[in-house]
Amino acid sequence: MHLYELPMIFVLIGLVFYVVLAGADFGAGFWQLFSGRGARGASMREHAHHAMAPVWEANHVWLIFVLTVTWTAYPTAFGSIASTLSVPLFIAAIGIILRGASYALRAGTATAREQRSSDTVFALSSILTPFALGTMIGAIAARRVPVGNAAGNTFSSWTGPISILVGVLAVAACAYLAAVFLAADARRAATRDPSERHLEAAFRARALAAGVLAGAVAIAGIFVLRSDAYALYHRLLHSGALAALIVSILAGAGTLVLVWRRHFEAARYSAALAVAGVVAGWAIAQYPLLLPGLTVRQAAAPHDTLVAVVISVLAGAVILFPSLALLFRLVLRGHLEHGADRSATAPPRAIGLLSASAHGLLARLAGACVLAGFGLLTIAEAGWAHAVGVLALLAFIVCGSFALVLSHYGSV
Amino acid sequence: MTPVHQAYLLQARQMQALSFMVHIPLVSFGIAFPAMILLVEWLYLRSGDQLYRTIARRWTRVMAALFAIGVITGTILSFEMGLLWPAFTSTFGGVFGLGFAIEGFSFFTEAIFIGIYIYGWDRLSPRMHFLSGIPIAIAGMTGSLTVISVNAWMNHPSGFRLVDGKAVAVHPFSALFTNSFLWPELVHMYIAGYMVTGFLIAGAYAIAMLRGRWSRYERTALTIPLTIATLASPVEVLIGDWVGRAVATAQPIKLAALEGLAKTTRGAPEHLLGWYTEGQVKYGIAIPKLLSLLAFHNPNAVVRGLDTVPVDRQPPINVVRVAFQLMVAIGSLLALLGVVYLFVRIARRRLPESVWFYRAVALAGPASVVALIAGWVVTEVGRQPWVVYQVMLTNEAVTGASGIPVGYATLVVVYVGVLAGVVWILRRLARIPMERSADTAAGRTADSPQPAV
Ligand code: HDD
Ligand code: HEM
Ligand code: HEM
């Protein structure tokens, strides 16, 4: 393992997380379109919406992670990809705006009609975005992105057979992942509210259908790959990539069996493994080339940057993973669920705010801080004086706010 | 990457500017709102008074909607690093990219805990719920730290050498975080975030007051953000002066553009208002020696003029100058408003009573947004024609892809729709019926229409 490969590993791990987690959110949008009419359809849409509500923002950040690590550690590759593939990237951007906006607006919808139209925009953009991002992956795999500022073709670079195929595969995979996750959530919801029992069966059927479809697209993909990108095809079948693909196929088939037998929780993980297998297979087959004529090593940023990225990502992971674990634990246990009103909220015991003397002290402290801050920041010249002065001014805002807010409380 | 010709450079710049103008007011809420909501929740925990709980819950709904829009507009900005400025990112991604990579972890933290916080009301214990909000407030701070570190680096670049168009000998940590420009810029933006959030929220209740709704709920929900914003306003003037001195040393040409100073001058005057043409400020009010005094704390200091660089290395002077004067004017008026409020609160121990005060508060929110955007115009347009000051020109950074006007037009349409949506949702959220029972339960209702405090 070389230093210049490490950030690429991070990028690929980020990509797997993005596909698995955000993919399921996109898929939840997909199922908004195919949930049927009437009360049952409405309850399916409601379920899909609430299942992703607490997590979609966190899941979306994996995309930001992939982008920022790529442009820091492999800047030339990032610039080449983004400029040649500007059209699908922009389409994905618009999809992301519409999706986030329709999500945010749903909280304000009052009538079924408003809700329906917000769900429709949400669903269409949830299909558009993974498709556009998929075509970009296809374009890179098919080596249609040359090095340089918009050096490739604006359209034909991402409209080739592989691009379309990966785009469709991305949508199918999202639908599949979402159905598996939603079926698991539905089972939990049904233990609380038996009227929701039909949801589990509905999402199970959809998971099976989408799984078969995604598998069929993937198999068709092998033939497309053979005719459209023979080099990649060849390497996929003749290196460690094959092992990864086999793992993926087994995991994919295993997921179907698990869903069939209603082991939804286990199916979540095997579905994730199937995705990881495809990404790993692709990466191994393409290595060491990132873009035509540009190896990972050539694309890598200078040494100090790579060290800084690795340190930052590892340090960030120490905060990230425990936080993510907390979020998903709360979600999976249903603690954040719609209607899961546990009312652990006996009103707190009043402790009282602040004594009058503490209060007067705060006010005087604020006064002292503002005078000191003015003197040190605005009149004094030294750098250290400025630093202390700024801190004093910030302390003035904090102390002053507490003093005045608490005195307001006393007076109303 | 070799530079390309881009016929639509101006449109690319405008598209970038548009994206920022939408994102930055929203992230002001990301910076300040979590802390304000936590303050209110803390008051609830300490006092047990349901009113505070009602306020915190209602604000949480607003925060949730604005956060979602902040996330997507920010995502567009990161796409634009590749869509619009791939040559900039290709050349310097290795230098500044780290800032955004670290920022990514702030976003993770923010997004994770905001999910817990929003959906955890009623479902977590009050203490746990309060604690789950703290990482959000911290992440808002670190997120702006890292993104501002990138902007400060663009304005005052260091930590690399340029050899044959490639950045070598790169030291990303020192480039981003030991930059003297970072701290003034960060503190100025951070306080601006509190002003924008505080005045906008307070303004909503000032409007309610003007329309005759003035119960204990409105009074309390106005007082808290207004107190914070009015304390921040005078401080922002002092910090702005500090930023100005940093600009004077690091970017003399930007300073000259701010003031419309054509020739290098000893004891330079400051012009209020006016318009820059043919090498001088016309119709302005000149105050002798003030510029030298403000910029260098010395009435006889020499200030560099625009004539020290060729015309094609000067920023558009009037854009920068008008934006600067607008910001300073608004900043001074808001500081005045702050002093009036603080005087009444401290000397008279009550809220101001004049309707004019509440009209001013209602205006202060939009005005602070104008100042915020004007400030960014000063920073970004004032740096032109450079994208990395004196290292890379904006026209060397731009994409070679076609279709910028199409993208720009599309984004305008989409953002107009998004803004309409934001207005719509905020009005809807404001109309959600109040948990009146909670308000009255505390037994301290004073529903008098007069601001009797
Ligand atoms: C509520 C908003 C607000 C208010 C009232 C002020 N500013 Fe400001 N200003 C900003 C919001 C802002 C900002 C957040 O938009 C900028 C853009 C970049 C930055 O760091 O802060 C800014 C930039 C900025 C710059 C340019 C920095 C650069 O080029 O990098 C200067 C010189 C000042 N400000 C000075 C002032 C002064 C002297 C003010 C006093 C009246 C003032 N600002 C009030
Ligand atoms: C990182 C790559 C960046 C590039 C390539 C870039 C470049 C530009 C350009 C070319 C403009 C248009 C200027 C004009 O219209 O004359 C602009 C505007 C702006 N930029 Fe930057 N910028 C970048 C980063 C930042 C960052 C990090 C910030 C803030 C943290 C920022 C804040 C702004 C704002 C607020 C505007 C609007 C100013 C206006 O109204 O023109 N930019 N930027
Ligand atoms: C080139 C400039 C910028 C880029 C690339 C950028 C990127 C982003 C991205 C991707 C997000 C979404 C994060 C998520 O998914 O949760 C975001 C949100 C945010 N950005 Fe920006 N941003 C830029 C400028 C700024 C500026 C000038 C500020 C203010 C100091 C800022 C502060 C924030 C904050 C606090 C959030 C959290 C979301 C919220 O609370 O609304 N960003 N930004």
Side-chain angles (χ1 to χ4, degrees):
Chain A
M1 179 77 55
H2 297 280
L3 176 61
Y4 60 80
E5 292 165 342
L6 264 181
M8 186 51 79
I9 309 261
F10 296 153
V11 169
L12 292 170
I13 293 175
L15 193 62
V16 170
F17 272 104
Y18 183 61
V19 174
V20 171
L21 296 173
D25 296 342
F26 284 118
F30 179 92
W31 293 120
Q32 307 267 23
L33 266 195
F34 297 94
S35 51
R37 295 181 165 280
R40 284 192 155 214
S43 81
M44 274 183 79
R45 286 195 294 278
E46 199 64 21
H47 178 68
H49 178 81
H50 287 297
M52 51 160 269
V55 290
W56 78 267
E57 273 148 343
N59 293 343
H60 172 78
V61 183
W62 286 106
L63 176 63
I64 309 295
F65 174 82
V66 167
L67 291 179
T68 54
V69 175
T70 309
W71 82 46
T72 311
Y74 309 99
T76 327
F78 177 82
S80 308
I81 294 168
S83 56
T84 288
L85 300 178
S86 57
V87 177
L89 187 57
F90 186 70
I91 294 175
I94 296 296
I96 288 172
I97 303 181
L98 293 179
R99 194 165 174 273
S102 56
Y103 167 83
L105 298 191
R106 197 182 196 272
T109 53
T111 64
R113 229 183 103 231
E114 282 174 0
Q115 211 161 74
R116 182 92 212 205
S117 53
S118 129
D119 284 348
T120 307
V121 175
F122 187 78
L124 292 176
S125 50
S126 297
I127 295 171
L128 190 66
T129 310
F131 178 78
L133 293 174
T135 64
M136 294 179 65
I137 302 282
I140 297 169
R143 301 194 184 171
R144 291 202 169 96
V145 181
V147 177
N149 187 344
N153 189 294
T154 313
F155 291 100
S156 68
S157 56
W158 59 280
T159 50
I162 297 201
S163 284
I164 303 301
L165 177 100
V166 180
V168 173
L169 186 62
V171 176
C174 290
Y176 178 46
L177 287 164
V180 172
F181 285 24
L182 289 171
D185 288 338
R187 157 165 303 175
R188 233 188 15 250
T191 58
R192 213 180 40 243
D193 178 1
S195 74
E196 306 233 305
R197 189 153 294 146
H198 69 100
L199 289 175
E200 181 189 329
F203 282 115
R204 174 170 171 268
R206 282 167 173 77
L208 291 173
V212 171
L213 187 77
V217 176
I219 291 168
I222 298 182
F223 294 97
V224 178
L225 211 58
R226 193 168 163 209
S227 68
D228 195 28
Y230 190 78
L232 185 69
Y233 167 79
H234 188 77
R235 304 209 38 180
L236 265 179
L237 297 187
H238 285 93
S239 61
L242 189 61
L245 284 193
I246 290 174
V247 169
S248 171
I249 292 168
L250 291 178
T255 311
L256 278 181
V257 175
L258 289 170
V259 171
W260 180 260
R261 311 181 95 191
R262 298 191 165 78
H263 296 301
F264 300 121
E265 288 296 336
R268 279 180 197 253
Y269 296 100
S270 60
L273 186 62
V275 171
V278 173
V279 172
W282 167 47
I284 297 171
Q286 190 163 319
Y287 191 83
L289 276 193
L290 191 49
L291 298 177
L294 185 75
T295 61
V296 172
R297 181 180 191 163
Q298 291 162 336
H303 177 269
D304 280 21
T305 303
L306 298 179
V307 172
V309 170
V310 171
I311 293 175
S312 309
V313 171
L314 292 179
V318 173
I319 304 172
L320 170 63
F321 283 105
S323 314
L324 267 185
L326 175 67
L327 174 67
F328 281 99
R329 214 179 63 219
L330 291 173
V331 169
L332 291 180
R333 294 210 183 142
H335 284 329
L336 299 182
E337 214 149 279
H338 184 60
D341 208 327
R342 337 201 107 239
S343 292
T345 54
R349 203 161 41 89
I351 331 178
L353 292 163
L354 277 185
S355 71
S357 64
H359 179 189
L361 194 67
L362 264 181
R364 259 170 274 142
L365 196 60
C369 281
V370 73
L371 290 180
F374 175 72
L376 289 170
L377 178 67
T378 309
I379 297 175
E381 297 282 343
W384 67 265
H386 291 170
V388 179
V390 167
L391 289 176
L393 288 175
L394 296 179
F396 159 70
I397 300 180
V398 174
C399 296
S401 299
F402 272 98
L404 284 174
V405 165
L406 295 177
S407 87
H408 172 78
Y409 180 81
S411 66
V412 193
Chain B
M1 276 189 186
T2 42
V4 293
H5 177 71
Q6 173 56 263
Y8 296 106
L9 173 64
L10 188 65
Q11 282 78 358
R13 284 168 54 189
Q14 288 171 352
M15 190 168 162
Q16 178 78 34
L18 168 73
S19 315
F20 270 115
M21 284 179 192
V22 178
H23 183 63
I24 292 181
L26 289 164
V27 301
S28 299
F29 282 84
I31 289 174
F33 215 9
M36 287 188 196
I37 297 179
L38 281 176
L39 173 62
V40 178
E41 194 179 2
W42 178 80
L43 289 170
Y44 164 62
L45 292 182
R46 295 290 301 219
S47 68
D49 184 338
Q50 288 291 330
L51 174 70
Y52 290 119
R53 187 160 186 278
T54 308
I55 296 176
R57 290 209 59 166
R58 290 177 73 88
W59 286 0
T60 303
R61 290 201 194 102
V62 175
M63 175 171 78
L66 295 179
F67 181 73
I69 311 285
V71 167
I72 56 178
T73 54
T75 306
I76 300 316
L77 284 172
S78 35
F79 279 27
E80 281 172 351
M81 299 286 287
L83 282 172
L84 297 176
W85 318 107
F88 166 68
T89 314
S90 297
T91 313
F92 294 111
V95 187
F96 72 76
L98 185 69
F100 289 114
I102 300 176
E103 193 194 23
F105 287 99
S106 302
F107 292 156
F108 268 126
T109 313
E110 201 163 1
I112 289 170
F113 284 96
I114 219 165
I116 297 177
Y117 189 83
I118 293 172
Y119 295 93
W121 275 109
D122 287 341
R123 291 156 206 164
L124 300 174
S125 74
R127 216 180 125 80
M128 273 298 288
H129 185 259
F130 177 76
L131 290 179
S132 76
I134 291 175
I136 311 175
I138 296 175
M141 197 178 334
T142 53
S144 38
L145 164 72
T146 45
V147 76
I148 297 289
S149 74
V150 175
N151 192 269
W153 174 83
M154 292 166 63
N155 279 300
H156 190 217
S158 65
F160 68 98
R161 272 189 299 124
L162 206 59
V163 176
D164 297 333
K166 278 194 116 125
V168 296
V170 174
H171 302 290
F173 279 119
S174 71
L176 292 173
F177 300 114
T178 61
N179 183 348
S180 60
F181 214 69
L182 168 61
W183 301 109
E185 212 186 321
L186 175 68
V187 177
H188 197 54
M189 173 67 212
Y190 200 68
I191 295 183
Y194 275 87
M195 288 175 65
V196 167
T197 309
F199 281 125
L200 281 175
I201 302 284
Y205 297 102
I207 292 175
M209 184 272 181
L210 294 171
R211 294 195 179 146
R213 289 201 313 277
W214 196 234
S215 67
R216 185 167 166 252
Y217 167 78
E218 280 88 16
R219 287 199 304 276
T220 309
L222 173 121
T223 305
I224 293 168
L226 186 62
T227 302
I228 295 173
T230 50
L231 285 163
S233 307
V235 171
E236 184 72 333
V237 175
L238 298 182
I239 303 287
D241 166 58
W242 185 38
V243 178
R245 281 179 278 150
V247 171
T249 33
Q251 297 183 309
I253 299 307
K254 189 189 266 179
L255 182 77
L258 290 182
E259 308 294 350
L261 188 69
K263 295 200 176 56
T264 304
T265 315
R266 171 179 299 274
E270 168 110 7
H271 287 87
L272 304 182
L273 305 174
W275 186 256
Y276 181 88
T277 46
E278 294 156 13
Q280 56 175 326
V281 177
K282 286 230 170 99
Y283 319 116
I285 307 157
I287 303 174
K289 305 210 176 190
L290 185 62
L291 176 56
S292 290
L293 185 66
L294 284 179
F296 296 101
H297 280 189
N298 171 0
N300 292 316
V302 177
V303 183
R304 250 179 86 181
L306 288 161
D307 62 355
T308 50
V309 293
V311 172
D312 66 354
R313 291 290 185 269
Q314 297 174 1
I317 294 154
N318 279 317
V319 177
V320 181
R321 203 169 164 270
V322 169
F324 182 66
Q325 304 234 342
L326 194 61
M327 167 173 66
V328 175
I330 294 175
S332 311
L333 290 175
L334 292 178
L336 189 68
L337 183 72
V339 171
V340 169
Y341 172 78
L342 295 177
F343 174 77
V344 177
R345 278 298 304 277
I346 295 169
R348 307 248 167 91
R349 301 190 164 272
R350 59 167 171 79
L351 287 175
E353 282 170 358
S354 154
V355 256
W356 286 103
F357 178 79
Y358 293 89
R359 288 186 186 144
V361 172
L363 272 183
S368 62
V369 174
V370 171
L372 179 76
I373 291 174
W376 278 107
V377 170
V378 172
T379 305
E380 293 297 301
V381 181
R383 192 186 57 231
Q384 300 304 320
W386 303 101
V387 63
V388 184
Y389 190 59
Q390 291 181 335
V391 176
M392 182 186 240
L393 290 165
T394 308
N395 66 18
E396 297 168 327
V398 71
T399 180
S402 52
I404 287 178
V406 180
Y408 181 30
T410 313
L411 195 70
V412 170
V413 172
V414 171
Y415 270 0
V416 168
V418 168
L419 287 184
V422 170
V423 172
W424 176 84
I425 178 95
L426 292 181
R427 299 185 58 136
R428 273 284 163 92
L429 290 180
R431 266 192 264 143
I432 292 181
M434 192 72 78
E435 291 150 308
R436 271 290 162 193
S437 55
D439 189 354
T440 43
R444 282 163 153 253
T445 37
D447 272 281
S448 59
Q450 288 303 310
V453 180

